[in-house]
Structures are given as C-alpha cells and as structure tokens.
C-alpha cells in the first residue's frame, strides 16, 4: 500500500509540473494536444491525476514543453535538485517560478550523440 501512495504522489507531482510548464508557455490543453498528438481529454486526465501517464505520452508532452527527462541515480538526486532550484526563474510577471523537469540539457553528451 505504501508504494501505491508514494507512486500516486510522484505522478501528481509530475502532472503538476507538466501543467505548470504548459501554462507558462501560454498553451491550452487543446493546443498542446495538437502539438503532441495526445488527445486533449487524455491531457486533462493526466493533469488532474485521474490516469497514469504512459511513457510515450510523457516523452511527447515533455519534448513539446521543452522539458528533458532524465533518470537520475538516487545518490545524485540532491545535487540535481540543487541545480534545478538554481535555474528556476520567475514567469513574465515575476510571480510564480517556472520549473524545469530535471534539466534543460544534459551535462554531458556521448561522442557521436547528435540529439540537436
């Protein structure tokens, strides 16, 4: 039971970050749906935490919102979180921080890895 509670909290946190990123870009759910191919009704359910997000949807939404998904070793998490806090920026009005999910760019790139 504890794992299920912990997992729903994590999904809730991810959903909140995705919604926050969408809103900070001034996108409606409908516009994001058109850009990602994820149905608007499904985006609504993801943001409200009603459904678990599929990896393919998470990748599509994240890339569209200019967020980067990274798997971080648990031991490195405090350092990564500190870096994230250092790049959080206020929105246009200076009211709410704009969050990034993990990092905007990887700190390293493998030789021959041309993602850009």
């Amino acid at each position: 039971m504890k794992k299920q509670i912990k997992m729903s909290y994590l999904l809730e946190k991810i959903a909140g970050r995705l919604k926050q990123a969408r809103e900070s870009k001034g996108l409606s759910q409908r516009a994001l749906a058109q850009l990602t191919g994820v149905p608007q009704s499904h985006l609504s359910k993801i943001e409200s935490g009603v459904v678990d997000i599929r990896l393919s949807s998470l990748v599509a939404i994240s890339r569209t919102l200019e967020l980067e998904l990274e798997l971080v070793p648990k031991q490195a998490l405090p350092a990564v979180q500190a870096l994230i806090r250092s790049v959080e920026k206020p929105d246009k009005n200076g009211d709410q921080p704009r969050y990034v999910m993990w990092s905007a760019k990887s700190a390293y790139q493998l030789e021959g890895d041309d993602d850009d």
Side-chain angles (χ1 to χ4, degrees), residues 81-96:
Q81 289 172 332
L83 287 170
I84 292 168
R85 283 190 298 273
S86 73
V87 297
E88 289 176 350
K89 297 179 180 167
D91 69 5
K92 296 171 193 161
N93 300 324
D95 299 330
Q96 297 291 326

Side-chain angles (χ1 to χ4, degrees), residues 10-90:
L10 179 61
L11 291 174
E12 186 178 304
K13 191 172 179 180
I14 291 170
R17 290 275 176 104
L18 292 174
K19 181 177 181 178
Q20 195 171 33
R22 176 184 60 77
E23 290 174 342
S24 75
K25 290 203 163 291
L27 293 172
S28 65
Q29 287 180 349
R30 180 173 287 158
L32 184 58
Q34 290 174 340
L35 293 169
T36 61
V38 177
Q40 184 273 325
S41 60
H42 194 64
L43 285 172
S44 176
K45 290 175 185 175
I46 290 168
E47 287 185 1
S48 62
V50 176
V51 297
D52 287 346
I53 188 168
R54 294 182 61 171
L55 181 58
S56 57
S57 297
L58 180 59
V59 169
I61 295 165
S62 297
R63 285 186 176 161
T64 302
L65 296 174
E66 298 178 1
L67 299 172
E68 189 66 36
L69 298 173
E70 295 286 334
L71 293 176
V72 177
K74 199 171 197 171
Q75 301 89 336
L77 193 56
V80 171
Q81 289 172 332
L83 287 170
I84 292 168
R85 283 190 298 273
S86 73
V87 297
E88 289 176 350
K89 297 179 180 167

